[in-house]
Amino acid sequence: MPYMFASCGNLKSVDLSSFDTRIVLTMEGLFMGCENLLHINLSSLDTKKVTDMSYMFHSCYNLKNINFSSFDSQNLKNIGSIFCNCKSLSKIDLTFIEDASNIEMEGFICDCRDLKELIINKNMYERLKRNGERKIEDPNKFFYDQLGIKLIVK
């Protein structure tokens, strides 16, 4: 499924409820460049085997809401730039990522101008604190002071 809908600039709505994704390994760039995408139904996607979601929503400028409640992250390894340039997203809930210890996350929320809340679990919070070479003592303060984003840990 990599880049399946990429650069579909006029696409406004997508319903993937009839897609069988049980054997899909990568969703890299799936909607990248769908700048007019407003609504997407991801509720029926089976993501158990997916390892790569990098660039999945990159440059989806008008997308306001994404529901990951049905996602399974047990094999996920990469979410780099997943939301980069998603200028209209105000809230992202990543609590579906149960173990963030080995996930590549570089630039996962770069240039999300309207983002006000990032909801994560304790595991991802600890991962953000480690942040490779650059340790972040207090992710709450960092995200709010540097990016204006309220970090909510569940």
Side-chain angles (χ1 to χ4, degrees), residues 1-3 24-30 47 49-56 75-82 103-104:
M1 286 184 86
Y3 300 96
V24 172
L25 299 176
T26 181
M27 293 185 175
E28 177 184 7
L30 185 60
T47 60
K49 294 185 179 179
V50 175
T51 60
D52 191 349
M53 291 183 185
S54 63
Y55 300 95
M56 191 171 177
N75 289 301
L76 191 58
K77 299 291 178 221
N78 191 350
I79 61 166
S81 298
I82 187 172
I103 295 179
E104 171 58 48

Side-chain angles (χ1 to χ4, degrees), residues 16 31 40-45 56-57 66-68 70-71:
L16 301 177
F31 301 102
I40 182 163
N41 180 355
L42 303 171
S43 63
S44 66
L45 292 185
M56 191 171 177
F57 302 100
I66 303 172
N67 182 347
F68 292 109
S70 66
F71 275 37

Side-chain angles (χ1 to χ4, degrees), residues 95-117:
T95 53
F96 78 95
I97 298 177
E98 294 174 21
D99 183 4
S101 59
N102 294 311
I103 295 179
E104 171 58 48
M105 297 170 33
E106 186 172 344
F108 76 105
I109 57 168
C110 70
D111 202 20
C112 291
R113 295 180 185 164
D114 286 349
L115 188 60
K116 300 296 178 228
E117 289 184 2

Side-chain angles (χ1 to χ4, degrees), residues 11-73:
L11 189 66
K12 292 187 187 227
S13 181
V14 178
D15 182 353
L16 301 177
S17 61
S18 63
F19 277 54
D20 182 357
T21 57
R22 289 177 291 176
I23 62 169
V24 172
L25 299 176
T26 181
M27 293 185 175
E28 177 184 7
L30 185 60
F31 301 102
M32 182 176 181
C34 293
E35 49 201 41
N36 290 308
L37 187 61
L38 299 171
H39 175 75
I40 182 163
N41 180 355
L42 303 171
S43 63
S44 66
L45 292 185
D46 184 337
T47 60
K48 277 185 206 124
K49 294 185 179 179
V50 175
T51 60
D52 191 349
M53 291 183 185
S54 63
Y55 300 95
M56 191 171 177
F57 302 100
H58 190 290
S59 298
C60 290
Y61 303 134
N62 293 304
L63 192 59
K64 295 185 186 312
N65 189 345
I66 303 172
N67 182 347
F68 292 109
S69 62
S70 66
F71 275 37
D72 183 329
S73 68

Side-chain angles (χ1 to χ4, degrees), residues 82-94:
I82 187 172
F83 304 111
C84 191
N85 289 319
C86 288
K87 299 175 188 309
S88 299
L89 281 176
S90 60
K91 179 170 99 173
I92 299 172
D93 185 338
L94 292 178

